[in-house]
């Protein structure tokens, strides 16, 4: 099958080889021109001077006296004229979005040679009709008022007048804007096109150094293009070659031929060439219930048709209907592909570097002043430190700062603390006004680019493709911000920082990063528009979904459909015809066509294949193989984890024996009973629980603060008999209670010895703690007198096992007091009230959902105290704070009897404890997962065991 461009190259080489350097070949895009030169080279048998090849846009640019203006600069200029004409207070941020739309409309008006005055006059009249209420009867107005009470035609007449004034100003805005640009020899694309046509009318079109113009593969011509082509046709210096050979395009019912039929009438094919066409490609549709999953099938498709050689790969094109698939597709390409060429851009806002840009914006937005220093919010700081770019180049510095912030629970951190290297010094600097913001961003991204440029030669050889992509994204972001900064200064616009951030985001959202490669080698990765005039034997369409190909949404415009249609401007039907032509032109010379689409349903997407599939199958009766590709994903239950105690594990366990300084606690034993595997992770392997910076007060920190407050309030009265009067005095001294709460907050939450003024949620938590403290003091008043012995009592103890080994223990008793000669062991609990009753001691160490773990912990403290001090006359009690205000009962019960003396249980509990420890240190008993799912709900290790 001879490609379209090769047929043209063969013709002109055979017939015009000696004069080709005087010809100008005009194409729809640069890619087509490049492939034409490739084909021309392949048919040449001797050296010759190459012809000039340009795009239709470049031809207009050569003929026009105007230079192409920057889009963002055009919008700034348009805003300037809009303000002058309307005397409005509308900000640039408010104008930006609709300014882009207005500029696009101006562009269409000029390209299609529309009389702007007439169009905008019609638009004003149409809006006047749409916004008038004169046609409503009193009954209709009353009905509308029933639903909208503020509806009043007379009341809103003033607003309507202002609204219509905006439409009335469009014609003068268009005129003044264009005049200003012409004075500066600048213009947008439509202006450049129209200026060429005006030169033709004035017979002042410059003569370019070409004897003949050959227009190749054009399709949807605007009025300016038609006029230029007619001009060259009338001079008899133009040839026209239209790519429309398949029956699909020739079908008068097919939109694909909508423009071609008119073009052939206006500009007949000359000279007449015979182009090859394959009417029977092998079509196949493939549904995959995943968007990125479509990319996984590429290797399989190439293998099915044995597409492996370099020549076969070069004759294969990957058509990305959705540009977002580009990066996933590149990662999915098989290794045997070798070279590949990307001819499309990738949106800058979809890159990881854009994420860093967004994080920098949020960092500055959420900063605050504290102690005359600028401080930065921890979430913004950590998100930057953990960004892939920062983490890759500054892994030690990033980890160091994250650990520092987490360990010290720094909600806000000053710049001095964070500025530990040159890049961090730039990132964590203070921006005092919006005009400094672009410079701030430029400095950061310049430094990031410098990190790559400073690599020595050896490192450059090791540079990965991801590194090269990242550097390219950095460069384009830097250039975009620099241009934005230049325009702000040029037009003397000073937006607020919030508005500037929005503008930057909006502008960058419109930027695509172009990719370049070896354009004539390897697999071609293309967007729809890049395929024009090109032919490939193998076509793989990805995202071949309705709504994506063709696109379902027309471009934004202020000109309604009926006016666009009446004035000959492009409409949604125009867009449909363009997409149809691209598709049917592509497949007309292909041998294999795969139409891969995402069959998943999510949100507004319904997983429907493109309409072109249905047209091929039902209208043109093309045989299409259909299949559904499913990736087998089974959520199988993870295998139970069983850790056998080998010599290394026993060696780690033995660290808790008497010849070591490591100790087991009551909470560690509770962990073992609830889940042996959790004990193994925590106490044997030493895997730390998630240590995160806590902005809010969790239950653990809440309890620690409360414990410390109560300990410090009672500390002056250690070994003192407390009476109702003494506790009443403590309770009445709210200033002291507040001071103790603030001190505990600073120590346990903010990790500092400085007193910090509590605000917001912290102040609310402080008041709750105060409420609990005063309630506990009230309860204690009703149980006086008693001797307060100590708060936060540390105890060390040992226990000998059956194998004569001795285990070390440590315990922290929240409070010890003495009532009627009996020592009371009190454990404060801030969590949900748990079972305080047990039927037998074995229940304390038997895994179950409602195991009385608090009883086990308090008994363990009682056993340790009795073991070390010899006094067994102890009363264990549990104070659940949530019960302080209702049904408070700290008593532990054995069946229905209150446990008044731990001495009655001492021997049996010690034996129970020994049995538990013998099991822990038994090399034949493995560490296994819990069978109680509730124990896994808040476990820090569930991500490891996957239970």
């Amino acid at each position: 099958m001879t490609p379209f461009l090769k047929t043209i190259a063969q013709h002109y080489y055979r017939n015009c080889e000696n004069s080709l350097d005087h010809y100008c070949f005009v194409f729809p895009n640069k890619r087509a021109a490049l492939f034409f030169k490739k084909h021309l080279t392949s048919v040449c048998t001797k050296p010759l001077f190459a012809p000039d090849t340009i795009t239709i846009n470049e031809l207009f640019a050569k003929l026009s006296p105007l230079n192409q203006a920057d889009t963002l600069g055009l919008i700034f200029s348009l805003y300037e004229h809009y303000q002058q004409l309307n005397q409005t207070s509308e900000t640039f941020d408010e104008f930006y979005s609709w300014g882009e739309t207005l500029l696009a409309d101006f562009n269409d008006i000029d390209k299609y040679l529309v009389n702007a005055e007439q169009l905008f006059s019609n638009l004003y009249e149409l809006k006047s009709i749409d916004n008038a209420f004169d046609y409503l009867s009193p009954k209709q107005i009353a009905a509308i008022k029933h639903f909208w009470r503020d509806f009043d035609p007379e009341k809103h007449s003033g607003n309507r007048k202002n609204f219509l004034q905006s439409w009335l100003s469009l014609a003068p805005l268009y005129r003044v804007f264009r005049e200003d640009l012409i004075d500066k020899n600048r213009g947008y694309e439509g202006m450049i096109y129209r200026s060429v046509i005006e030169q033709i009318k004035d017979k002042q079109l410059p003569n370019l150094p070409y004897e003949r113009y050959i227009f190749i593969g054009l399709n949807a011509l605007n009025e300016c293009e038609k006029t230029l082509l007619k001009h060259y046709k009338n001079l008899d210096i133009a040839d026209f070659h239209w790519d429309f050979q398949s029956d699909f395009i020739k079908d008068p019912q097919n939109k694909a031929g909508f423009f071609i039929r008119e073009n052939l009438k206006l500009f007949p094919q000359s000279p007449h060439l015979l182009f090859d066409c394959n009417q029977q490609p092998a079509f196949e549709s493939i549904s995959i219930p995943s968007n990125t999953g479509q990319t996984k099938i590429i290797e399989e498709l190439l293998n099915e048709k044995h597409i492996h050689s370099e020549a076969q790969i070069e004759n294969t094109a990957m058509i990305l209907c959705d540009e977002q698939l580009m990066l996933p597709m590149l990662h999915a390409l098989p290794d045997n592909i070798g070279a590949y060429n990307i001819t499309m851009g990738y949106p800058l806002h979809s890159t990881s570097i854009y994420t860093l840009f967004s994080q920098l914006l949020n960092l500055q937005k959420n900063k605050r002043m504290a102690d005359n220093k600028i401080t930065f919010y921890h979430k913004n700081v950590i998100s930057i430190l953990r960004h892939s770019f920062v983490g890759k180049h500054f892994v030690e510095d990033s980890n160091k700062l994250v650990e520092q912030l987490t360990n010290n629970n720094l909600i806000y951190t000053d710049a001095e603390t964070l500025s530990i290297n040159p890049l961090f010094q730039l990132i964590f600097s203070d921006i005092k006004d919006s005009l400094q913001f672009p410079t701030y961003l430029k400095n950061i991204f310049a430094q990031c680019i410098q990190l790559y440029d400073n690599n020595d030669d050896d490192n450059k050889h090791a540079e990965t493709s991801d590194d090269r992509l990242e550097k390219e994204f950095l460069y384009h972001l830097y250039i975009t911000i620099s241009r934005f900064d230049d325009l702000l200064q040029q037009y003397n616009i000073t937006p607020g920082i919030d508005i500037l951030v929005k503008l930057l985001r909006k502008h960058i959202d419109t930027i695509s990063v172009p990719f370049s490669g070896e354009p004539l080698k390897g697999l071609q990765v293309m967007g729809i528009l890049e395929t024009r005039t090109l032919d490939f034997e193998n076509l793989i369409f990805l995202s071949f979904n309705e709504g994506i190909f063709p696109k379902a949404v027309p471009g934004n415009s202020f000109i309604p459909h009926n006016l666009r249609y009446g004035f000959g401007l492009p409409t949604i039907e125009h867009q449909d015809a363009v997409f149809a032509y691209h598709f049917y032109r592509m497949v007309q010379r292909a041998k294999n066509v795969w139409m891969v689409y995402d069959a998943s349903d999510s949100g507004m997407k319904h997983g429907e294949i493109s309409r072109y599939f249905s047209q091929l199958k039902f209208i043109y009766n093309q045989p299409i193989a259909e299949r559904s590709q499913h990736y087998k994903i089974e959520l199988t239950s993870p295998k139970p984890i069983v850790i056998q105690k080998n010599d290394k594990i026993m060696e780690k366990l033995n660290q808790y024996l008497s010849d070591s300084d490591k100790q087991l606690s009551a909470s560690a034993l509770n962990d073992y009973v609830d889940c042996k595997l959790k004990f193994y992770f925590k106490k044997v392997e030493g895997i730390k629980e998630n240590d995160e910076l806590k902005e809010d007060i969790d239950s653990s920190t809440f309890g620690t603060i409360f414990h410390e407050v109560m300990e410090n309030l009672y500390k002056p009265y250690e070994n003192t008999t407390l009476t109702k009067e003494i506790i009443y005095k403590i309770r009445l001294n709210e200033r002291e209670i507040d001071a103790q709460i603030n001190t505990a907050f600073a120590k346990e939450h903010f990790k500092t010895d400085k007193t910090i003024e509590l605000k917001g949620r912290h102040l609310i938590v402080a008041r709750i703690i105060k409420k609990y403290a005063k309630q506990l003091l009230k309860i204690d008043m009703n149980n006086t007198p008693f001797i307060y012995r100590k708060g936060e009592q540390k105890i060390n103890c040992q226990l000998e096992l059956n194998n004569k080994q001795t285990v070390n223990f440590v315990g922290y008793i929240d409070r010890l007091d003495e009532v009627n000669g009996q020592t009371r062991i009190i454990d404060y609990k801030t969590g949900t009230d748990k079972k305080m009753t047990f039927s037998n001691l074995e229940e304390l160490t038997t895994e179950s959902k409602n195991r009385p773990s608090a009883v086990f912990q308090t008994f363990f403290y009682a056993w340790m105290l009795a073991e070390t001090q010899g006094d067994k006359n102890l009363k264990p009690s549990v104070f659940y704070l949530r019960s302080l205000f209702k049904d408070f009962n700290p008593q532990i019960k054995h069946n229905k009897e209150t446990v008044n003396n731990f001495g009655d249980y001492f021997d049996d509990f010690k034996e129970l404890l020994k049995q538990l420890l013998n099991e822990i240190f038994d090399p034949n008993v493995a560490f296994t997962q819990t069978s109680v799912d509730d124990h896994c709900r808040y476990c820090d290790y569930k991500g490891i065991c996957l239970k």
Side-chain angles (χ1 to χ4, degrees), residues 345-604:
Y346 188 74
L348 194 56
H349 65 80
S350 296
T351 67
S352 62
I353 292 302
Y354 181 81
T355 306
L356 178 59
F357 161 79
S358 295
Q359 290 167 350
L360 291 170
L361 300 184
N362 292 332
L363 178 81
Q364 292 293 334
K365 186 178 179 180
N366 296 326
K367 67 186 179 185
R368 66 165 57 168
M369 182 71 72
D371 298 328
N372 294 321
K373 291 182 180 179
I374 288 295
T375 59
F376 298 100
Y377 185 47
H378 72 98
K379 287 186 178 179
N380 302 135
V381 173
I382 291 176
S383 67
I384 289 174
L385 296 176
R386 287 180 173 164
H387 187 273
S388 57
F389 176 86
V390 177
K392 177 168 59 179
H393 293 277
F394 300 96
V395 58
E396 291 184 6
D397 288 350
S398 296
N399 290 339
K400 176 183 175 182
L401 285 176
V402 170
E403 184 177 355
Q404 184 177 347
L405 265 61
T406 304
N407 290 343
N408 296 321
N409 213 57
L410 299 175
I411 308 301
Y412 280 88
T413 312
D414 62 81
E416 185 178 351
T417 302
L418 298 167
S419 301
I420 61 176
N421 64 50
L423 179 61
F424 289 6
Q425 190 172 357
L426 289 173
I427 290 174
F428 302 110
S429 56
D430 180 25
I431 305 304
K432 293 183 171 59
D433 64 66
S434 60
L435 289 182
Q436 292 180 345
F437 212 86
T439 303
Y440 163 77
L441 293 170
K442 285 192 298 181
N443 291 340
I444 291 171
F445 291 121
Q447 181 77 18
C448 292
I449 295 170
Q450 195 68 33
L451 287 171
Y452 285 111
D453 292 340
N454 286 342
N455 287 342
D456 57 34
D457 291 338
D458 291 338
N459 286 335
K460 283 185 178 179
H461 287 306
E463 191 177 58
T464 66
S465 59
D466 285 343
D467 290 336
R468 290 191 290 273
L469 281 174
E470 198 167 66
K471 184 178 178 181
E472 190 73 15
F473 295 148
L474 280 167
Y475 174 75
H476 277 83
L477 192 56
Y478 175 82
I479 293 298
T480 300
I481 295 170
S482 297
R483 178 61 181 145
F484 184 85
D485 190 22
D486 292 343
L487 290 168
L488 282 178
Q489 297 178 32
Q490 179 182 338
Y491 288 94
N492 197 27
I493 293 177
T494 310
I497 193 163
D498 288 340
I499 292 176
L500 185 137
V501 165
K502 288 180 182 178
L503 290 176
L504 262 175
R505 286 187 190 275
K506 285 179 180 178
H507 181 51
I508 291 174
D509 283 348
T510 66
I511 304 299
S512 287
V513 179
F515 285 86
S516 60
E518 187 60 47
L520 302 176
K521 287 187 178 181
L523 178 73
Q524 298 291 319
V525 180
M526 319 183 87
I528 301 298
L529 295 179
E530 284 76 30
T531 64
R532 288 174 289 185
T533 77
L534 304 185
D535 297 306
F536 299 93
E537 288 188 357
N538 308 298
L539 294 172
I540 303 174
F541 290 90
L542 297 183
S543 292
F544 196 74
N545 286 75
E546 184 66 22
I548 297 177
F549 186 51
K551 289 183 180 178
V553 181
N556 291 331
S557 175
F558 289 119
I559 307 169
H561 179 275
N562 54 349
L563 279 186
R564 293 189 73 88
Y565 184 82
F567 279 85
L569 293 171
T571 61
I572 185 66
E573 292 80 11
H574 175 284
Q575 178 178 290
D576 287 346
V578 169
F579 275 97
Y581 173 75
H582 289 327
F583 174 70
Y584 286 106
R585 194 216 61 78
M586 269 188 281
V587 303
Q588 69 183 352
R589 294 185 187 89
K591 288 184 179 179
N592 303 297
V593 179
W594 290 280
M595 300 171 284
V596 185
Y597 68 101
D598 178 10
S600 62
D601 288 339
S602 59
M604 300 295 289

Side-chain angles (χ1 to χ4, degrees), residues 137 212 468 480 567 606 618 699 905:
S137 67
R212 198 157 195 84
R468 290 191 290 273
T480 300
F567 279 85
H606 299 294
F618 300 112
S699 59
Y905 300 89

Side-chain angles (χ1 to χ4, degrees), residues 150-289:
D150 291 333
F151 176 80
D152 187 339
E154 292 301 322
K155 175 182 174 182
H156 289 285
S157 60
N159 294 333
R160 187 166 74 247
K161 183 179 178 181
N162 293 334
F163 174 74
L164 292 174
Q165 183 62 37
S166 297
W167 296 104
L168 193 61
S169 69
L170 290 182
L173 176 61
Y174 169 81
R175 184 175 58 254
V176 172
F177 177 54
R178 290 181 83 257
E179 288 172 354
D180 180 50
L181 289 174
I182 290 171
D183 288 342
K184 297 173 181 175
N185 273 345
R186 294 163 57 227
Y188 48 85
E189 190 173 81
M191 276 184 67
I192 291 172
Y193 272 52
R194 193 162 197 159
S195 69
V196 173
I197 306 309
E198 289 168 354
Q199 290 180 96
I200 292 175
K201 292 178 180 178
D202 297 337
K203 297 183 179 181
Q204 295 179 353
L205 190 70
N207 291 320
L208 297 179
Y210 307 118
E211 293 180 3
R212 198 157 195 84
Y213 296 84
I214 294 89
F215 296 93
I216 299 172
L218 303 179
N219 178 41
L221 300 176
N222 56 54
E223 291 302 316
C224 286
E225 290 168 341
K226 289 177 185 177
T227 305
L228 180 64
L229 267 61
K230 286 177 184 176
H231 174 71
Y232 285 136
K233 177 190 173 187
N234 293 335
L235 294 175
D236 196 22
I237 57 171
D239 293 342
F240 307 98
H241 297 287
W242 310 102
D243 195 3
F244 66 101
Q245 282 64 46
S246 75
D247 291 340
F248 303 134
I249 300 176
K250 292 177 181 178
D251 180 4
Q253 301 301 317
N254 193 332
K255 288 184 178 180
F258 179 80
F259 298 105
I260 289 294
R261 288 186 282 275
E262 182 185 9
N263 293 340
L264 285 169
K265 291 178 183 177
L266 294 174
F267 314 104
Q269 189 98 278
S270 60
H272 184 72
L273 301 180
L274 293 176
F275 295 100
D276 287 340
C277 181
N278 179 16
Q279 300 292 346
Q280 289 292 330
F283 290 104
E284 183 175 11
S285 72
I286 304 169
S287 68
I288 297 178

Side-chain angles (χ1 to χ4, degrees), residues 924-939:
N924 298 314
V925 179
F927 294 110
T928 57
Q929 293 169 290
T930 180
S931 59
V932 180
D933 291 341
D934 275 20
H935 292 164
C936 304
R937 185 173 300 172
Y938 303 109
C939 178

Side-chain angles (χ1 to χ4, degrees), residues 839-887:
S839 55
N840 55 67
L841 283 177
E842 286 73 19
E843 187 181 348
L844 302 183
T845 56
T846 302
E847 180 188 358
S848 66
K849 180 179 178 180
N850 295 314
R851 183 178 69 88
S853 56
V855 175
F856 173 83
Q857 183 167 345
T858 314
F859 271 30
F860 180 79
Y861 293 152
W863 168 79
M864 290 182 72
L865 195 64
E867 192 75 27
T868 54
Q869 298 184 7
D871 182 11
K872 299 178 183 178
N873 185 22
L874 306 169
K875 183 170 183 178
S877 302
V878 180
F879 282 23
Y880 276 108
L881 300 190
R882 297 189 183 189
S883 300
L884 289 178
F885 295 92
K886 182 181 179 182
D887 302 327

